Amino acid sequence: IVSLLSDLTARNPDSRELLSGLLHYADVRGVQFIAPMPDLNMFKASAAYANFARAKQLSGCSFIGADLRHAHFAYADLGKSHFVTADLTDATLQGADLRGANLCLANLSGTELFDAKYDDDTEWPRGFSPPTDKWTGDSAEPTDNGRV
C-alpha cells in the first residue's frame, strides 16, 4: 500500500501530507519509494531495507528514531533532513546530499558515505569523522565546529 501511496504522491503532490501522517511508526521494511517526498515525516518508522533512491527529493524529511538499517538512499537529496537517533547501520548514502542534515546520535556503523556531500551545517554524531572527499562547506576543509 505504501508503494501505491508513493505513486499517488508522484501524480498528486497535494497528497504528500496524507502519506506523511500515515508513516509515523509505520512498518515499511523493504518498500521501494518512487516519488519525490520532501518534508516526509517517518518518526520511529521501521524502514529497514527500504529503498529511497528513486524518490530522489527527500529534503527536510524527518527520520527521527527510525530503523533504517540497510536502507538505500543513494544519490538522494536529504538536505536539511533529520536522522536524530535513527539507526542507519549498513545503510547506503553513497552520493547523497546531506548538506544541512542532522545526524546527531544516529548509528552510522557500516554506513556507506562514499561521494556523499555535506557542509558546515551538517551535524554528525559526536566523535564521528565523515569522509573529506565531498566537503562543500565555506572553509577549505571540514573543521570540528562542535558538530562532528
Side-chain angles (χ1 to χ4, degrees):
I1 192 154
V2 174
S3 292
L4 292 173
L5 290 171
S6 180
D7 187 47
L8 173 66
T9 63
R11 295 181 192 160
N12 182 2
D14 294 332
S15 64
R16 288 187 186 126
E17 189 173 321
L18 169 66
L19 176 60
S20 185
L22 293 174
L23 295 178
H24 289 211
Y25 297 96
D27 184 347
V28 291
R29 290 175 287 183
V31 169
Q32 181 167 321
F33 291 82
I34 59 173
M37 292 182 280
D39 303 313
L40 182 69
N41 190 337
M42 293 189 66
F43 179 77
K44 293 198 174 187
S46 180
Y49 295 94
N51 188 337
F52 296 90
R54 288 185 56 202
K56 298 287 186 208
Q57 179 51 262
L58 297 164
S59 61
C61 289
S62 176
F63 296 99
I64 295 172
D67 176 3
L68 299 166
R69 292 171 294 137
H70 301 277
H72 191 73
F73 291 97
Y75 300 96
D77 179 358
L78 297 165
K80 298 183 180 175
S81 289
H82 299 277
F83 293 91
V84 177
T85 68
D87 187 353
L88 287 154
T89 301
D90 297 321
T92 300
L93 295 169
Q94 178 178 349
D97 186 346
L98 298 171
R99 291 177 285 191
N102 185 343
L103 295 120
C104 286
L105 304 175
N107 184 346
L108 299 177
S109 299
T111 301
E112 174 60 61
L113 290 164
F114 179 74
D115 270 347
K117 299 179 190 116
Y118 62 97
D119 61 11
D120 288 320
D121 295 324
T122 305
E123 297 186 50
W124 300 97
R126 184 169 301 285
F128 181 79
S129 297
T132 58
D133 61 329
K134 290 297 176 180
W135 171 250
T136 60
D138 294 332
S139 59
E141 60 184 59
T143 59
D144 185 356
N145 59 4
R147 295 177 183 256
V148 176

